[in-house]
Amino acid sequence: REMTGKAGQKCTAIRRIIVPKNQVDAVAERLRDRLAKVVVGDPSVEGVRMGALASMDQHRDVSERVEILARGNEIVFGARDGFNPVGEGVASGAFFSPTLLLCRDAMANDAVHDVEAFGPVSTMMTYEGIDEALALAARGKGSLVSTLVTKEPAIAAYAVPIAAASHGRVHILEREAAVDSTGHGSPLPQLKHGGPGRAGGGEELGGIRAVRHFLQRAAVQGSPTMLSAVTGEYVRGAAVRESEVHPFRKYFEELQMGDSLLTHRRTVSEADIVAFGGISGDFFYMHFDEIAAKDSQFGKRIAHGYFVLSAAAGLFVSPAPGPVLANYGLDNLRFITPVAIGDTIRARLTCKRKVDRNRTDERGVGQGVVAWDVQVTNQNDELVASYDILTLVMKRN
């Protein structure tokens, strides 16, 4: 299909087919059989699967290049194999037979890598070992796309980073992906389309990348408070607003970026660690083995990180029914400083970002997503945990 689609006149057509030496004759036979079934001629005729080249000039150009490619190589399939375009007036058309060549020593033949016949023409070449195959692929001096056909993840892990250096896109073809794959010559719009070297050294517009070409970027310097005002998103370190009204008691429209709550304190006990381990089933040695913990980088038993998250939630949650409907997710979690038995923690919860979902539930109640910046600190004001939590928040109207 990649040889004959658009009569081979597309930038992603397969020009070089790199095949294991011990399989090349079998592959050549299969391809020959498939190509023999391709009906060329007037596309309006039932059964025709390939039309003409763009012009007679194009026909002459492809013919000249095939002649160069054929020097010292074998023609596996070509015009001599019964090429007979169908339809009225085809004798004067720029029809060209699908042509498959075979080069048995591609390392010594520069033409098969340097000469492109922009038509239904491909050249098979042999290799022994994946490194030779990758070296042959790189001889193209820059290509839009390469397909690696393998069922071995280890081969893909080795080959793809090497092939990527000389290809704009690397398509991995195996049984699992083949069912849904768009194929070698059909890139998805969100994928890069372009390549290094002879492939043009650039890329075409696609997906979000296309939008960025129409945007202007500027660097903004300032204090966290100023950056928060400019971006409309809370930047840690900016001024916050605290009030007697708990942030979780405010409806979506009432919340403002920078609304904040500094919680009361909680001292972590051994009983907390034991209880959390029993509930969660997490009996990791750092939480329960006094001797092993002393030999660790912390030198003592520490609380579970997820206990710290749970304890922080207990500090800042407002338990009554209200505008906050549910926890929507958690992003950017980092555990910074370990919490030991006897440490005292507290949390600061700050409205970071609001996103209107522009939808209502089955009762007609609107909702939005609010991202909250959470900082958990210890008795020394050291940062213990840092993360964002997302909540679904009801609208008043």
Side-chain angles (χ1 to χ4, degrees):
R1 285 198 298 269
E2 296 298 340
M3 284 183 65
T4 59
K6 297 184 179 179
Q9 300 169 110
K10 59 179 184 176
C11 56
T12 55
I14 294 175
R15 306 296 182 200
R16 298 179 300 151
I17 308 168
I18 305 171
V19 184
K21 186 175 182 179
N22 63 351
Q23 298 288 339
V24 70
D25 291 320
V27 173
E29 181 179 352
R30 294 289 186 90
L31 283 175
R32 179 185 172 86
D33 291 343
R34 290 289 295 273
L35 291 171
K37 297 175 183 177
V38 176
V39 180
V40 181
D42 181 352
S44 66
V45 176
E46 183 70 25
V48 169
R49 290 293 176 266
M50 191 179 93
L53 296 179
S55 65
M56 292 306 297
D57 286 341
Q58 179 75 2
H59 189 283
R60 282 188 288 272
D61 182 76
V62 173
S63 298
E64 291 171 0
R65 291 171 184 266
V66 168
E67 184 179 343
I68 296 172
L69 290 169
R71 292 170 188 169
N73 296 317
E74 306 168 30
I75 297 180
V76 176
F77 186 88
R80 66 187 183 188
D81 294 283
F83 181 56
N84 185 28
V86 300
E88 294 184 13
V90 294
S92 59
F95 296 95
F96 199 94
S97 171
T99 304
L100 180 66
L101 301 102
L102 172 58
C103 176
R104 295 187 184 272
D105 188 8
M107 281 296 185
N109 190 321
D110 290 335
V112 295
H113 307 294
D114 295 341
V115 176
E116 178 183 15
F118 202 70
V121 181
S122 294
T123 302
M124 298 176 63
M125 51 196 73
T126 64
Y127 75 89
E128 293 184 271
I130 189 65
D131 288 318
E132 184 179 1
L134 290 166
L136 289 171
R139 288 284 293 274
K141 303 181 183 67
S143 302
L144 288 174
V145 57
S146 174
T147 288
L148 171 69
V149 184
T150 182
K151 64 178 181 179
E152 298 294 339
I155 292 293
Y158 176 76
V160 168
I162 298 173
S166 52
H167 297 86
R169 176 167 56 95
V170 180
H171 171 235
I172 306 172
L173 181 63
E174 38 81 34
R175 288 177 177 86
E176 183 179 349
V179 177
D180 300 312
S181 175
T182 56
H184 177 101
S186 301
L188 296 170
Q190 63 266 38
L191 298 179
K192 172 186 176 183
H193 185 61
R198 294 199 328 180
E203 59 186 76
E204 296 181 13
L205 304 183
I208 192 67
R209 188 179 294 107
V211 177
R212 288 178 179 149
H213 283 276
F214 297 95
L215 301 179
Q216 178 183 343
R217 293 191 298 172
V220 181
Q221 286 180 274
S223 68
T225 299
M226 290 299 179
L227 294 178
S228 294
V230 171
T231 63
E233 180 171 312
Y234 172 75
V235 177
R236 190 169 289 181
V240 298
R241 285 184 304 278
E242 297 182 80
S243 69
E244 294 182 359
V245 179
H246 192 292
F248 280 11
R249 309 313 310 163
K250 295 182 180 181
Y251 288 90
F252 183 81
E253 303 96 325
E254 298 169 339
L255 275 169
Q256 298 181 52
M257 180 267 295
D259 284 353
S260 186
L261 170 72
L262 182 63
T263 71
H264 57 284
R265 297 178 177 85
R266 171 172 178 164
T267 299
V268 178
S269 67
E270 182 179 20
D272 290 329
I273 296 174
V274 172
F276 190 84
I279 292 171
S280 66
D282 181 352
F283 296 102
F284 189 56
Y285 79 93
M286 281 303 307
H287 313 309
F288 287 93
D289 190 330
E290 190 77 39
I291 296 174
K294 284 183 178 179
D295 293 332
S296 73
Q297 60 180 331
F298 305 123
K300 55 189 173 183
R301 290 166 62 189
I302 60 174
H304 305 71
Y306 297 109
F307 166 76
V308 174
L309 293 187
S310 299
L315 290 171
F316 60 65
V317 74
S318 177
V324 173
L325 300 171
N327 189 326
Y328 193 66
L330 186 150
D331 292 335
N332 307 315
L333 171 63
R334 292 293 183 273
F335 296 119
I336 313 299
T337 303
V339 175
I341 297 169
D343 282 353
T344 299
I345 61 172
R346 71 191 313 186
R348 178 171 285 283
L349 175 81
T350 306
C351 179
K352 180 177 182 178
R353 180 177 60 254
K354 295 168 55 179
V355 179
D356 192 338
R357 300 183 78 196
N358 292 311
R359 66 179 70 172
T360 58
D361 62 17
E362 63 278 3
R363 299 172 300 167
V365 178
Q367 298 175 355
V369 176
V370 178
W372 305 85
D373 176 81
V374 181
Q375 303 173 68
V376 185
T377 55
N378 63 16
Q379 67 276 9
N380 300 317
D381 289 329
E382 297 171 319
L383 191 61
V384 167
S386 173
Y387 53 98
D388 294 346
I389 60 168
L390 309 176
T391 59
L392 286 177
V393 180
M394 185 189 310
K395 291 183 177 179
R396 180 181 291 278
N397 301 309

